Amino acid sequence: MYFNTSDGIRLHYTDDGQGIPVLCLAGLTRNGTDFDYIAPHLNDVRLIRLDYRGRGKSDWADPGSYTLPQEGQDAVALLDHLGIDEAAIIGTSRGGIIAMGLAATVKDRLLGVCLNDIGPEVAAPGLDAIKSYLGRKPTFSSMEEATTQRAKLMSGFEDVPAERWRAEAEKHYIEDEGGLNINYDPKLREGVLERAENLNPDLWPFFDALSGLPLALIRGANSDIITEQTAAEMVRRRPDMLFANVPGRGHVPFLDEPESVLTIRTWLGEMQ
């Protein structure tokens, strides 16, 4: 399904099930398929997944609009399009940053927030990794090679079966005449990197804006994006926050790990 933003960009989304509305916001270069693994565990909610502008099946746009505020506005526009006053948000990486921004600006639209491997501080190693691949065509030429290389390159992941890495490769790349390509606008690189605040903003005030909302944090125990120290400070500030430190996972957990599922289900229970 699609809807048009106020500046004329056609955005793709999916809307499945009935129950509490749960808006899923993906990582920087990702799309709604980020949530394929958790979806079977959420068959009693209304699961809404957005492809940001320039990603997945959505239209590409002016790179200058690939910003956190604009993507937050697009998320609210989708809720408006669907006639939804309030929704819970599961935010993976950049999606969690957007969720915190919405808590600071339109908190009345939020029922609760679950952050997937993101916090108010983004660690330097993770930032460096993002800069190394953002907007660049992959060097491998087939899905088979992508599957093998992804298993080698994804730092911090343990005991992941080959079929999962194959599924990941198919989510992140498309086949074209030259082999494989990324499934998002390459100009996302310039749209993000030319604005330092777009990649690593000061988010503690935005995290504190989540006060009063049911909150959960899922962290990959081997994450290079959110450190143990940052997670500990988040727990200190929000001792009521549900927290899962998922073993054998880096950035980002797939969300179908037992620890992730339990945390998300418990978090949803706080809103029902």
Side-chain angles (χ1 to χ4, degrees):
M1 293 178 277
Y2 294 88
F3 76 104
N4 290 323
T5 64
S6 60
D7 60 342
I9 305 302
R10 192 177 75 144
L11 300 185
H12 175 260
Y13 70 96
T14 61
D15 182 3
D16 300 296
Q18 297 181 342
I20 181 174
V22 179
L23 176 61
C24 296
L25 300 177
L28 174 61
T29 64
R30 299 170 178 242
N31 55 64
T33 62
D34 250 5
F35 303 94
D36 283 356
Y37 310 123
I38 185 61
H41 302 278
L42 300 179
N43 55 13
D44 58 345
V45 306
R46 183 178 178 182
L47 196 67
I48 303 159
R49 305 192 243 176
L50 173 66
D51 287 358
Y52 305 132
R53 54 180 62 208
R55 282 81 133 191
K57 297 178 181 178
S58 291
D59 285 352
W60 293 3
D62 178 348
S65 72
Y66 296 149
T67 66
L68 292 165
Q70 181 61 64
E71 288 160 12
Q73 290 175 32
D74 291 344
V76 173
L78 174 56
L79 295 181
D80 291 342
H81 172 73
L82 295 173
I84 296 173
D85 293 329
E86 298 175 295
I89 295 181
I90 301 176
T92 289
S93 195
R94 186 175 179 88
I97 297 177
I98 293 170
M100 286 186 271
L102 294 178
T105 54
V106 289
K107 191 173 184 177
D108 60 319
R109 305 299 298 270
L110 305 185
L111 293 171
V113 171
C114 177
L115 303 170
N116 182 21
D117 212 61
I118 193 66
E121 295 179 8
V122 181
L127 280 178
D128 291 341
I130 291 170
K131 293 175 184 177
S132 70
Y133 68 75
L134 180 59
R136 291 175 172 164
K137 185 174 180 177
T139 56
F140 26 84
S141 59
S142 68
M143 284 296 178
E144 290 72 20
E145 187 179 358
T147 299
T148 301
Q149 291 302 315
R150 199 162 184 86
K152 293 178 180 178
L153 296 173
M154 291 297 287
S155 174
F157 285 80
E158 303 166 8
D159 301 322
V160 178
E163 56 267 25
R164 175 58 58 90
W165 289 126
R166 173 72 187 209
E168 284 289 286
E170 292 175 349
K171 292 179 191 303
H172 290 90
Y173 307 112
I174 55 175
E175 295 180 297
D176 62 19
E177 293 181 358
L180 295 187
N181 210 337
I182 52 179
N183 63 348
Y184 61 91
D185 185 355
K187 291 185 178 179
L188 180 64
R189 182 177 183 85
E190 65 185 71
V192 170
L193 295 186
E194 71 183 14
R195 296 173 176 83
E197 73 277 8
N198 228 349
L199 201 56
N200 195 15
D202 176 13
L203 293 175
W204 283 110
F206 296 88
F207 177 77
D208 292 337
L210 294 166
S211 173
L213 292 174
L215 179 61
L217 169 63
I218 295 168
R219 175 182 181 267
N222 301 322
S223 177
D224 61 358
I225 285 286
I226 175 172
T227 66
E228 293 181 1
Q229 292 78 11
T230 297
E233 176 61 13
M234 294 166 72
V235 171
R236 188 192 72 78
R237 294 192 186 207
R238 282 293 304 269
D240 62 323
M241 179 179 71
L242 298 168
F243 176 43
N245 202 38
V246 184
R249 293 292 181 265
H251 184 74
V252 289
F254 299 118
L255 294 183
D256 64 344
E257 302 88 1
E259 300 86 354
S260 299
V261 173
L262 176 61
T263 299
I264 292 172
R265 293 300 320 178
T266 304
W267 167 71
L268 286 170
E270 295 183 355
M271 290 171 274
Q272 294 173 324

